[in-house]
Amino acid sequence: MSTLNIVMIEPEIPQNTGNVARTCAATGARLHLIEPMGFKIDDKKLKRAGLDYWHMLDITIYCNIPHFFEKNPNAAKTGYYFSTKAQYTHTQVQYPNNCYLFFGKESAGLPESLLYEHPNTTVRIPMLGEARSLNLSNAIAIGVYEVLRQWDYPDLLRQGKLREFQW
């Protein structure tokens, strides 16, 4: 099975992180949370957003960015940094197996030092110039599904069934 890693650096809003947890659970992506966070992991709002999916979630919490890179040394080689400041779009790159998609906190995005260190793998989701940014959980869902689209949606159910009718 292919591995996709979502890295949230210092998330601040529990509902966004709950939504991301649900996206990760539904797609098989691994979730990495880097502290400090603006909430406790047992926050009711966090759990409510993805309550019935927590048993499906592969989640790891790190005390800071250096701790994350210490535990995940390949992340620096296969990392993609999502930012409104990027020179490339998220569809202009090819995502390898076991890649890491990095997203920053809601109020400030990713640290510019990470962006500067990775100019060729910093990517942007296109939007109107007047828009400051997308909602974090929406941006992460867009990133996740672009990677999965490129990988031809491995191991994901591709057909649904009607409850009252048959196709």
Side-chain angles (χ1 to χ4, degrees):
M1 179 172 172
S2 300
T3 303
L4 175 58
N5 297 278
I6 305 306
V7 183
M8 296 178 74
I9 297 178
E10 301 178 9
E12 299 167 316
I13 301 173
Q15 296 92 327
N16 280 337
T17 303
N19 288 339
V20 172
R22 187 172 181 157
T23 297
C24 288
T27 60
R30 296 178 60 215
L31 180 59
H32 305 266
L33 301 177
I34 300 177
E35 296 178 317
M37 295 184 281
F39 52 88
K40 294 180 181 177
I41 201 69
D42 61 354
D43 189 300
K44 289 181 184 178
K45 294 174 185 170
L46 175 70
K47 297 278 185 166
R48 188 179 311 135
L51 186 61
D52 53 345
Y53 290 85
W54 282 98
H55 69 284
M56 298 169 60
L57 188 60
D58 181 352
I59 184 171
T60 308
I61 301 171
Y62 306 87
C63 59
N64 55 39
I65 294 172
H67 181 230
F68 169 81
F69 282 109
E70 176 186 319
K71 296 294 184 182
N72 300 279
N74 287 332
K77 298 175 191 168
T78 60
Y80 294 85
Y81 303 83
F82 281 69
S83 172
T84 59
K85 301 171 180 104
Q87 301 177 59
Y88 304 103
T89 67
H90 70 296
T91 57
Q92 288 180 291
V93 297
Q94 295 295 312
Y95 300 94
N97 183 33
N98 202 32
C99 64
Y100 292 77
L101 307 186
F102 288 84
F103 296 86
K105 60 184 169 183
E106 290 87 342
S107 64
L110 289 169
E112 284 199 356
S113 59
L114 278 177
L115 306 179
Y116 184 75
E117 292 168 8
H118 302 95
N120 295 325
T121 55
T122 296
V123 296
R124 173 186 174 89
I125 299 169
M127 66 186 110
L128 294 174
E130 299 82 33
R132 189 187 58 192
S133 64
L134 292 169
N135 171 275
L136 180 60
S137 63
N138 291 339
I140 291 173
I142 290 168
V144 165
Y145 273 91
E146 173 56 23
V147 173
L148 295 174
R149 183 196 66 79
Q150 288 186 15
W151 294 353
D152 198 29
Y153 304 106
D155 302 316
L156 298 184
L157 185 63
R158 295 170 183 250
Q159 296 176 341
K161 296 180 180 180
L162 299 172
R163 290 183 182 160
E164 298 180 32
F165 302 94
Q166 291 187 5
W167 291 113

Short mmCIF file of all heavy atoms in Angstrom, two decimals, residues 4 6-7 19 30-31 39-40 63 85 101 103 105 107-108 112-113 115 132-133 145 151 154 159 163:
data_model
loop_
_atom_site.label_atom_id
_atom_site.label_comp_id
_atom_site.label_asym_id
_atom_site.label_seq_id
_atom_site.Cartn_x
_atom_site.Cartn_y
_atom_site.Cartn_z
N LEU A 4 1.00 8.02 2.34
CA LEU A 4 0.94 9.49 2.25
C LEU A 4 0.94 10.02 3.67
O LEU A 4 0.21 9.53 4.53
CB LEU A 4 -0.34 9.91 1.52
CG LEU A 4 -0.62 11.41 1.44
CD1 LEU A 4 0.53 12.17 0.77
CD2 LEU A 4 -1.91 11.66 0.69
N ILE A 6 0.61 13.45 6.13
CA ILE A 6 0.16 14.83 6.28
C ILE A 6 0.78 15.38 7.55
O ILE A 6 0.63 14.79 8.62
CB ILE A 6 -1.38 14.92 6.36
CG1 ILE A 6 -2.02 14.25 5.16
CG2 ILE A 6 -1.83 16.37 6.52
CD1 ILE A 6 -1.53 14.73 3.81
N VAL A 7 1.46 16.52 7.43
CA VAL A 7 2.14 17.13 8.56
C VAL A 7 1.51 18.49 8.83
O VAL A 7 1.53 19.37 7.95
CB VAL A 7 3.65 17.30 8.29
CG1 VAL A 7 4.35 17.88 9.52
CG2 VAL A 7 4.28 15.99 7.86
N ASN A 19 -11.28 17.82 11.12
CA ASN A 19 -11.62 17.58 9.72
C ASN A 19 -10.48 16.89 8.98
O ASN A 19 -10.70 15.98 8.17
CB ASN A 19 -11.97 18.89 9.01
CG ASN A 19 -13.30 19.45 9.46
OD1 ASN A 19 -14.15 18.75 9.98
ND2 ASN A 19 -13.48 20.74 9.26
N ARG A 30 -1.37 9.10 6.80
CA ARG A 30 -0.89 9.21 8.17
C ARG A 30 -0.90 10.68 8.56
O ARG A 30 -0.56 11.54 7.75
CB ARG A 30 0.53 8.65 8.28
CG ARG A 30 0.60 7.17 7.98
CD ARG A 30 2.02 6.63 8.04
NE ARG A 30 2.55 6.84 9.37
CZ ARG A 30 3.84 7.14 9.61
NH1 ARG A 30 4.69 7.26 8.63
NH2 ARG A 30 4.26 7.31 10.85
N LEU A 31 -1.24 10.97 9.81
CA LEU A 31 -1.30 12.35 10.30
C LEU A 31 -0.21 12.58 11.32
O LEU A 31 -0.08 11.83 12.29
CB LEU A 31 -2.67 12.64 10.90
CG LEU A 31 -2.89 14.04 11.47
CD1 LEU A 31 -2.67 15.12 10.41
CD2 LEU A 31 -4.28 14.16 12.07
N PHE A 39 -4.84 23.73 21.09
CA PHE A 39 -5.89 22.94 21.75
C PHE A 39 -5.25 21.68 22.29
O PHE A 39 -4.09 21.37 21.97
CB PHE A 39 -7.00 22.58 20.76
CG PHE A 39 -6.45 21.94 19.51
CD1 PHE A 39 -6.26 20.57 19.44
CD2 PHE A 39 -6.10 22.71 18.42
CE1 PHE A 39 -5.72 19.98 18.31
CE2 PHE A 39 -5.57 22.14 17.28
CZ PHE A 39 -5.38 20.77 17.22
N LYS A 40 -5.98 20.96 23.09
CA LYS A 40 -5.54 19.66 23.57
C LYS A 40 -6.13 18.60 22.65
O LYS A 40 -7.23 18.76 22.14
CB LYS A 40 -5.99 19.44 25.02
CG LYS A 40 -5.33 20.39 25.97
CD LYS A 40 -5.78 20.15 27.39
CE LYS A 40 -5.09 21.16 28.28
NZ LYS A 40 -5.50 21.08 29.66
N CYS A 63 6.93 17.05 19.66
CA CYS A 63 7.03 18.22 20.52
C CYS A 63 7.50 19.47 19.78
O CYS A 63 7.23 20.59 20.24
CB CYS A 63 7.92 17.94 21.73
SG CYS A 63 9.59 17.45 21.34
N LYS A 85 2.86 31.45 -0.73
CA LYS A 85 4.07 32.14 -1.18
C LYS A 85 4.85 31.35 -2.23
O LYS A 85 5.91 31.79 -2.67
CB LYS A 85 4.96 32.43 0.03
CG LYS A 85 4.28 33.29 1.07
CD LYS A 85 5.10 33.36 2.34
CE LYS A 85 4.41 34.22 3.37
NZ LYS A 85 3.77 33.46 4.41
N LEU A 101 3.29 15.93 3.05
CA LEU A 101 2.71 17.22 2.70
C LEU A 101 2.68 18.06 3.97
O LEU A 101 2.04 17.69 4.95
CB LEU A 101 1.29 17.05 2.15
CG LEU A 101 1.10 16.09 0.98
CD1 LEU A 101 -0.33 16.16 0.48
CD2 LEU A 101 2.09 16.33 -0.14
N PHE A 103 1.84 21.54 6.11
CA PHE A 103 0.93 22.66 6.19
C PHE A 103 1.18 23.40 7.50
O PHE A 103 1.40 22.79 8.53
CB PHE A 103 -0.53 22.18 6.15
CG PHE A 103 -0.88 21.51 4.84
CD1 PHE A 103 -0.62 20.15 4.66
CD2 PHE A 103 -1.44 22.23 3.81
CE1 PHE A 103 -0.93 19.53 3.46
CE2 PHE A 103 -1.75 21.61 2.60
CZ PHE A 103 -1.49 20.27 2.43
N LYS A 105 0.35 26.62 10.45
CA LYS A 105 -0.77 27.01 11.30
C LYS A 105 -1.65 28.04 10.60
O LYS A 105 -1.22 28.75 9.69
CB LYS A 105 -0.27 27.53 12.65
CG LYS A 105 0.63 28.74 12.59
CD LYS A 105 1.09 29.05 14.00
CE LYS A 105 2.19 30.07 14.04
NZ LYS A 105 2.66 30.29 15.42
N SER A 107 -2.93 30.91 11.38
CA SER A 107 -2.69 32.35 11.45
C SER A 107 -1.45 32.82 10.68
O SER A 107 -1.35 34.00 10.35
CB SER A 107 -2.55 32.79 12.92
OG SER A 107 -1.42 32.18 13.51
N ALA A 108 -0.51 31.91 10.38
CA ALA A 108 0.74 32.36 9.77
C ALA A 108 1.30 31.46 8.68
O ALA A 108 2.25 31.84 8.01
CB ALA A 108 1.80 32.53 10.87
N GLU A 112 8.87 30.60 7.12
CA GLU A 112 9.52 30.93 5.85
C GLU A 112 10.86 30.25 5.68
O GLU A 112 11.30 29.99 4.57
CB GLU A 112 9.63 32.44 5.67
CG GLU A 112 8.30 33.06 5.30
CD GLU A 112 8.44 34.44 4.68
OE1 GLU A 112 9.57 34.98 4.58
OE2 GLU A 112 7.40 34.97 4.27
N SER A 113 11.53 29.91 6.78
CA SER A 113 12.81 29.21 6.67
C SER A 113 12.63 27.85 5.98
O SER A 113 13.46 27.45 5.17
CB SER A 113 13.45 29.03 8.04
OG SER A 113 12.59 28.29 8.90
N LEU A 115 10.28 27.13 3.78
CA LEU A 115 10.00 27.42 2.37
C LEU A 115 11.29 27.76 1.62
O LEU A 115 11.54 27.26 0.52
CB LEU A 115 9.00 28.57 2.26
CG LEU A 115 7.68 28.42 3.02
CD1 LEU A 115 6.82 29.65 2.82
CD2 LEU A 115 6.96 27.15 2.63
N ARG A 132 -6.78 35.81 0.68
CA ARG A 132 -5.59 35.61 1.50
C ARG A 132 -5.16 34.14 1.49
O ARG A 132 -4.00 33.82 1.30
CB ARG A 132 -5.86 36.09 2.92
CG ARG A 132 -4.63 36.11 3.78
CD ARG A 132 -4.98 36.44 5.20
NE ARG A 132 -5.93 35.40 5.62
CZ ARG A 132 -6.65 35.42 6.71
NH1 ARG A 132 -6.59 36.41 7.52
NH2 ARG A 132 -7.48 34.45 7.00
N SER A 133 -6.12 33.24 1.73
CA SER A 133 -5.81 31.81 1.75
C SER A 133 -7.10 31.00 1.83
O SER A 133 -8.17 31.54 2.10
CB SER A 133 -4.91 31.47 2.95
OG SER A 133 -5.61 31.71 4.16
N TYR A 145 -5.96 14.78 -2.16
CA TYR A 145 -6.60 14.18 -3.33
C TYR A 145 -5.82 14.40 -4.62
O TYR A 145 -5.93 13.59 -5.55
CB TYR A 145 -8.07 14.62 -3.43
CG TYR A 145 -8.92 13.67 -2.62
CD1 TYR A 145 -9.21 13.92 -1.29
CD2 TYR A 145 -9.36 12.47 -3.16
CE1 TYR A 145 -9.93 13.03 -0.52
CE2 TYR A 145 -10.10 11.57 -2.41
CZ TYR A 145 -10.37 11.85 -1.09
OH TYR A 145 -11.08 10.94 -0.34
N TRP A 151 -1.62 8.98 -7.99
CA TRP A 151 -1.33 7.57 -7.69
C TRP A 151 -2.46 6.64 -8.13
O TRP A 151 -2.44 5.45 -7.84
CB TRP A 151 -1.10 7.39 -6.20
CG TRP A 151 0.11 8.06 -5.64
CD1 TRP A 151 1.11 8.70 -6.31
CD2 TRP A 151 0.45 8.13 -4.25
NE1 TRP A 151 2.05 9.16 -5.44
CE2 TRP A 151 1.67 8.83 -4.16
CE3 TRP A 151 -0.15 7.68 -3.09
CZ2 TRP A 151 2.30 9.09 -2.94
CZ3 TRP A 151 0.47 7.94 -1.88
CH2 TRP A 151 1.70 8.64 -1.81
N PRO A 154 -4.95 4.48 -4.95
CA PRO A 154 -4.69 3.10 -4.52
C PRO A 154 -5.50 2.71 -3.28
O PRO A 154 -5.62 3.49 -2.33
CB PRO A 154 -3.19 3.14 -4.18
CG PRO A 154 -2.91 4.57 -3.84
CD PRO A 154 -3.83 5.37 -4.73
N GLN A 159 -16.54 2.93 -6.14
CA GLN A 159 -17.95 2.90 -6.48
C GLN A 159 -18.78 2.83 -5.20
O GLN A 159 -18.41 2.16 -4.25
CB GLN A 159 -18.28 1.68 -7.36
CG GLN A 159 -17.59 1.71 -8.70
CD GLN A 159 -17.88 0.45 -9.49
OE1 GLN A 159 -18.28 -0.57 -8.93
NE2 GLN A 159 -17.67 0.51 -10.78
N ARG A 163 -29.02 3.33 -1.51
CA ARG A 163 -29.70 2.59 -0.44
C ARG A 163 -31.06 2.06 -0.89
O ARG A 163 -31.45 0.96 -0.53
CB ARG A 163 -29.89 3.50 0.79
CG ARG A 163 -28.62 3.81 1.48
CD ARG A 163 -28.86 4.64 2.71
NE ARG A 163 -27.57 4.95 3.34
CZ ARG A 163 -27.38 5.92 4.17
NH1 ARG A 163 -28.38 6.70 4.52
NH2 ARG A 163 -26.20 6.15 4.69
#
